[in-house]
Amino acid sequence: VRIAPIELKRSGNLGQLYLLCFRDISELRRLDQMRSDFVANASHELRTPLASLRGFIETLQGPAKSDPKAHERFLSIMLDQSTRMSRLVDDLLSLSRLELKANVAPECKVDLVPLLSHVRDSLVPLAEELGVEINLHLPDVPVEVTGDRDELVQVFENLMENACKYGQEGERVDVYLKAAEARPVEVTVVDHGPGIPSEHVPRLTERFYRVSVADSRSKKGTGLGLAIVKHILTRHRARLIVTSEVGKGSQFTVRF
Ligand code: ADP
C-alpha cells in the first residue's frame, strides 16, 4: 500500500485528503515462492547423489581399500550416481534454455512421420532392456506441423520413454499419429501399465513432481521430463492431454 497525502487547494473544511494506492502482489509472491522452491528442489536433487558419491569415495579410501569386489560394486554405483547428476543438469539446462526462448514461436516445417520413427528407433535398446515393444501406427502420407525438430524429438522421446518405464507391465506401447482435413494433428502415446491415480494427473507437468507410488519412484528419472514437454508444447501452441485409468494404463496426447 502506498499512502500519498493530497493537498486540495479548495478543500474548504474537508481537512487533509489521502490517496491510497493498492497493488496486488500475490502473483509476484507466488512466482517468487516457485523460484525458491525450484532452487531448493534442484539443490536437494543434486545433493543426494553427491553425498552418496562422497560416502563411496571415503569407503574406497578407507575400509574397502584392499577389497577388489567392493571396488567393482562401488564404482558401478558411483557411475550410476554421476549419470543421474548429468541427466539432472541436462534437464535443468534444457528448462532454462526453453525459458529464454519462451516467446519465440518456432517456424520450421516438420514431418512427424519420419520423426516418430526416428524416436522409436533411438529407444529400441531401452525398450528391449525393459521388455517392452513400441508399435507405431502412422499414415502413409507426410504429416507436417510447424515447429522445431529437435524440441519435438525431445517431447516424443520423453513420452515414449515414460510409457516404456512406467507402463512396463503392459509390455506394449502404441503410438498413433492422427491427421485428417480440418482437424488438429494428434500424436497419442498409449501404455498398458498400472496407470496414474487421478489426483496426480493435473500435477504431472510440475517441475520435480513424481508420483509417489513406490514402484514409480524406483524408476530412474528427474521429475523434469514432463515439465520440459509442457514448455516445448507451449512454444509450439500445442497441448498435452493426459488420460489414465488405474489398472489399465495411460494415454498422453499431443494436440497441435
Ligand atoms: P521422470 O523423470 O520422473 O520420469 P516426468 O516429468 O517425465 O519425470 O514424469 C513425472 C512423473 O509422472 C513420473 O515420475 C511418473 O511418476 C509419472 N508418469 C509419467 N508418465 C507415466 C506413465 N506413462 N505411466 C505412469 N506414470 C507416469
Side-chain angles (χ1 to χ4, degrees):
V1 181
R2 217 158 51 90
I3 306 179
I6 321 173
E7 292 226 4
L8 287 186
K9 285 233 163 76
R10 282 192 280 138
S11 58
N13 56 5
L14 282 175
Q16 188 147 31
L17 294 180
Y18 287 91
L19 173 70
L20 300 183
C21 304
F22 292 90
R23 194 157 65 96
D24 182 359
I25 56 163
S26 37
E27 182 60 12
L28 280 179
R29 279 261 162 82
R30 198 181 63 83
L31 289 175
D32 223 37
Q33 183 62 42
M34 272 173 66
R35 198 165 298 130
S36 54
D37 285 353
F38 177 64
V39 173
N41 279 329
S43 319
H44 174 78
E45 294 289 326
L46 279 170
R47 211 169 49 185
T48 312
L50 267 177
S52 147
L53 273 180
R54 197 191 165 116
F56 283 114
I57 292 169
E58 281 168 2
T59 317
L60 285 173
Q61 281 178 329
K65 203 170 183 173
S66 42
D67 178 350
K69 271 200 182 145
H71 277 213
E72 203 178 315
R73 205 159 53 84
F74 291 173
L75 286 174
S76 126
I77 301 174
M78 286 163 74
L79 184 63
D80 272 0
Q81 300 288 18
S82 42
T83 311
R84 184 176 152 197
M85 284 198 293
S86 304
R87 202 181 309 131
L88 185 66
V89 171
D90 286 346
D91 282 356
L92 289 170
L93 282 174
S94 282
L95 268 178
S96 73
R97 273 195 217 110
L98 284 165
E99 267 170 6
L100 282 180
K101 30 184 201 177
N103 297 322
V104 191
E107 286 175 348
C108 296
K109 289 266 170 249
V110 184
D111 182 357
L112 292 177
V113 176
L115 185 139
L116 290 170
S117 299
H118 163 80
V119 173
R120 195 271 308 265
D121 294 348
S122 70
L123 287 174
V124 165
L126 174 83
E128 277 177 359
E129 189 189 313
L130 296 170
V132 179
E133 198 184 332
I134 307 175
N135 301 309
L136 293 183
H137 307 269
L138 307 175
D140 296 329
V141 288
V143 177
E144 281 191 340
V145 293
T146 306
D148 177 307
R149 186 181 181 280
D150 292 343
E151 288 182 13
L152 291 176
V153 164
Q154 209 176 348
V155 165
F156 295 113
E157 252 171 19
N158 260 306
L159 297 181
M160 286 190 216
E161 187 180 322
N162 277 353
C164 293
K165 273 194 311 192
Y166 303 109
Q168 195 178 354
E169 285 166 25
E171 292 173 6
R172 209 180 83 236
V173 165
D174 290 295
V175 181
Y176 299 90
L177 169 56
K178 276 193 232 148
E181 286 282 316
R183 295 188 63 188
V185 172
E186 278 186 4
V187 179
T188 304
V189 179
V190 183
D191 70 63
H192 309 273
I196 307 165
S198 57
E199 67 273 22
H200 294 289
V201 172
R203 303 195 58 192
L204 292 178
T205 55
E206 286 176 22
R207 292 162 181 200
F208 295 112
Y209 193 82
R210 304 195 74 200
V211 177
S212 56
V213 174
D215 185 48
S216 164
R217 280 262 161 191
S218 67
K219 315 272 178 191
K220 286 179 189 154
T222 60
L224 291 174
L226 291 176
I228 293 174
V229 165
K230 190 181 170 196
H231 260 79
I232 296 178
L233 294 182
T234 306
R235 241 165 75 66
H236 282 75
R237 315 251 186 280
R239 282 177 61 205
L240 179 68
I241 301 150
V242 184
T243 52
S244 189
E245 203 175 328
V246 174
K248 287 210 166 157
S250 310
Q251 291 197 9
F252 286 74
T253 298
V254 174
R255 182 175 293 162
F256 288 91

